Amino acid sequence: MSTPQKSATRLPLRVITWSAVAVTSVVLALIAAYVYRHDSYWSQRWTVDLTVYLASGHTVRDGQSLYDLVVMSPLYGPMPYLYPPLTAILFFVPLSFLPAATASLVWNAVSLMALGAVVWMTLGIAGVRDGRVRAVLTIAGLILTAWLLPVRVQLVAGQINMFLLLLVLLDFRRPEGRWKGIGIGIAAGLKVTPLIFILYLLLTRRWGAARNATLAFLGTAAIGFLVRPADSLTYWGGLVFHSSRAGGVFDTPNQSLAGMLARVLASDAFSQWWLVVMVAVGAYGLAVAAYAFRRGADFLGFSATAITGLLISPVSWEHHWVYVIPLLIWLAIWAYTKRAVGVAIGTALLAAIFTVRVFMIVGIQEAPPAPMDLALWQQVVANMFPLTGLALLLLGPLWVRRHFRGAPVAAAAPQVPEPAPTGREALPARRFAPEPETR
């Protein structure tokens, strides 16, 4: 139990931290709005997805069918609403009461606050215990990660993925607990892609967490049926499988394995062997995740699962790759605490890959009228994210084997060998999952 004095000293630090996160998020959202709305390229794409979201909110308020909604974009043409009905009800109906410009600022500011929470939680998972250090690193991490390409595209388009990442990461913040899995289930009910984390829970024999996730997912669908029965029947009755509604699979910003195959083969027609490849990659990626868990590295298992999901999804736009943010932060902290120069260099390289939109710099089209015929070096540039994801899944087990000896499954909290004391370490390496806090 914490003493009243300790509780009194903890509260102001947390209040200051989250106030600073909120202020920083608003400032970053204002900067993004000014910069991107005055940029000739990005201004054409500003709020392209948020416009559809706001229209979905108006559609629900007017009692019309969500899946008859089509917003005409001057750049991308017809854009339908893609998510379950509950997502529109929870997020976009309230947002639709605001003017479009205000809604955009609010949406991006809150998205960045969610990013701040992701940074804060990841620092705890990485073993940062000192409250002041964690607060400072949270603000610094928020500012730095806002430059990553998935975050920038999320802000430009007005996307939802940061909230999904936050919900899923909540379930990996602590080793175990009676509520573990609920965040995954809710995230999957808002957008089905997080369902892959339930497979990870099953493979690692966390039956209670898998049950919680499944029940939470089914609960969100049930609420949708209660509130919007016709729309829910349309969506869950088959529309959920129509990934082609999301856009051209061969478009360069689609950084999934299917997108890579479409560009390599200059074809957007799925073949049966494509599915075989994606199933094989999915099985291998989940095996890597389960291996990391058995070695005592649950967080790395989470990261491997996230990367696997991004690879095998038919469409993984650049902003979907926000799931790599916790891994980048974790690796940076690990490199510092272990004084691992090689890991630091590798992390810097990963950060560069997920920051610079190289294909645009070298003149590769974003959305060609037909699949492109690219040279080999152009294929590498156009498929940077999936190639990086595949490399991480291939090399990751070797690194895990070297640095993790395993931990009891019940603990699920990977141990880190203590670094040699230097007398100047501000970030002690203890456990990758935070210890329970006293209240």
Side-chain angles (χ1 to χ4, degrees):
M1 295 291 291
S2 59
T3 65
Q5 183 178 3
K6 287 183 179 180
S7 298
T9 57
R10 174 181 291 179
L11 180 60
L13 179 59
R14 291 202 173 187
V15 170
I16 292 171
T17 301
W18 293 111
S19 298
V21 167
V23 171
T24 304
S25 298
V26 172
V27 171
L28 289 173
L30 288 169
I31 293 173
Y34 178 82
V35 170
Y36 294 127
R37 291 180 69 178
H38 289 83
D39 182 272
S40 60
Y41 179 86
W42 292 112
S43 61
Q44 301 177 62
R45 294 153 178 81
W46 182 250
T47 67
V48 63
D49 291 327
L50 184 61
T51 300
V52 180
Y53 297 162
L54 294 176
S56 74
H58 287 289
T59 299
V60 172
R61 288 166 54 190
D62 294 339
Q64 303 299 315
S65 172
L66 269 173
Y67 302 106
D68 289 335
L69 167 67
V70 176
V71 175
M72 291 302 300
S73 166
L75 191 63
Y76 298 113
M79 298 184 64
Y81 177 74
L82 301 173
Y83 302 147
L86 186 62
T87 311
I89 296 167
L90 291 179
F91 288 98
F92 309 133
V93 168
L95 204 64
S96 68
F97 285 96
L98 300 175
T102 305
S104 172
L105 177 61
V106 170
W107 183 252
N108 279 346
V110 177
S111 296
L112 287 164
M113 292 177 199
L115 175 58
V118 166
V119 174
W120 185 83
M121 283 193 294
T122 306
L123 291 170
I125 293 171
V128 179
R129 300 285 177 259
D130 186 285
R132 291 180 177 83
V133 172
R134 192 173 176 184
V136 171
L137 290 180
T138 295
I139 302 302
L142 170 59
I143 295 171
L144 291 174
T145 54
W147 286 92
L148 293 170
L149 181 59
V151 180
R152 300 202 314 268
V153 176
Q154 153 121 2
L155 296 176
V156 169
Q159 260 288 338
I160 193 176
N161 296 288
M162 201 63 70
F163 301 107
L164 306 179
L165 170 59
L166 177 59
L167 284 168
V168 172
L169 192 60
L170 281 168
D171 281 330
F172 294 95
R173 179 186 172 191
R174 298 185 185 280
E176 294 299 332
R178 62 183 299 183
W179 305 110
K180 190 181 183 73
I182 291 179
I184 291 172
I186 295 174
L190 299 173
K191 186 176 181 180
V192 294
T193 48
L195 281 173
I196 192 170
F197 292 101
I198 299 181
L199 294 178
Y200 174 55
L201 294 176
L202 290 172
L203 284 173
T204 53
R205 299 183 179 184
R206 286 176 282 186
W207 313 119
R211 177 203 62 214
N212 290 344
T214 303
L215 291 176
F217 169 66
L218 294 176
T220 60
I223 294 172
F225 271 100
L226 287 173
V227 180
R228 301 281 295 185
D231 282 337
S232 295
L233 185 60
T234 299
Y235 183 79
W236 297 111
L239 198 64
V240 62
F241 301 109
H242 294 180
S243 60
S244 59
R245 287 164 53 89
V249 66
F250 54 80
D251 288 355
T252 313
N254 177 20
Q255 293 290 298
S256 68
L257 188 61
M260 182 175 75
L261 288 173
R263 287 184 289 272
V264 169
L265 301 174
S267 171
D268 61 344
F270 275 81
S271 299
Q272 290 184 348
W273 70 267
W274 287 33
L275 296 176
V276 172
V277 169
M278 286 185 279
V279 168
V281 171
Y284 172 76
L286 287 172
V288 170
Y291 175 76
F293 176 81
R294 290 196 301 271
R295 302 289 294 190
D298 186 28
F299 174 75
L300 296 182
F302 150 79
S303 298
T305 304
I307 291 171
T308 301
L310 291 164
L311 288 173
I312 66 174
S313 175
V315 176
S316 290
W317 302 118
E318 293 161 312
H319 49 77
H320 293 174
W321 285 78
V322 294
Y323 282 93
V324 303
I325 294 172
L327 179 61
L328 293 174
I329 297 170
W330 186 91
L331 287 172
I333 298 299
W334 199 93
Y336 176 82
T337 57
K338 300 292 292 179
R339 304 299 191 265
V341 176
V343 175
I345 294 173
T347 305
L349 178 60
L350 287 173
I353 289 172
F354 288 107
T355 299
V356 182
R357 206 184 201 201
V358 181
F359 79 80
M360 189 171 72
I361 296 175
V362 299
I364 297 175
Q365 286 182 275
E366 174 186 339
M372 295 172 286
D373 185 13
L374 301 176
L376 178 61
W377 71 269
Q378 291 175 314
Q379 292 287 2
V380 173
V381 170
N383 300 304
M384 194 69 74
F385 286 13
L387 289 174
T388 301
L390 288 171
L392 288 171
L393 291 180
L394 289 171
L395 300 177
L398 302 177
W399 191 83
V400 168
R401 181 181 180 182
R402 178 179 179 183
H403 293 285
F404 294 88
R405 298 178 180 178
V409 172
Q415 297 284 346
V416 185
E418 293 285 351
T422 63
R424 57 185 177 86
E425 293 177 356
L427 303 175
R430 297 176 185 172
R431 297 172 74 88
F432 289 146
E435 299 168 350
E437 297 176 1
T438 57
R439 296 186 184 276

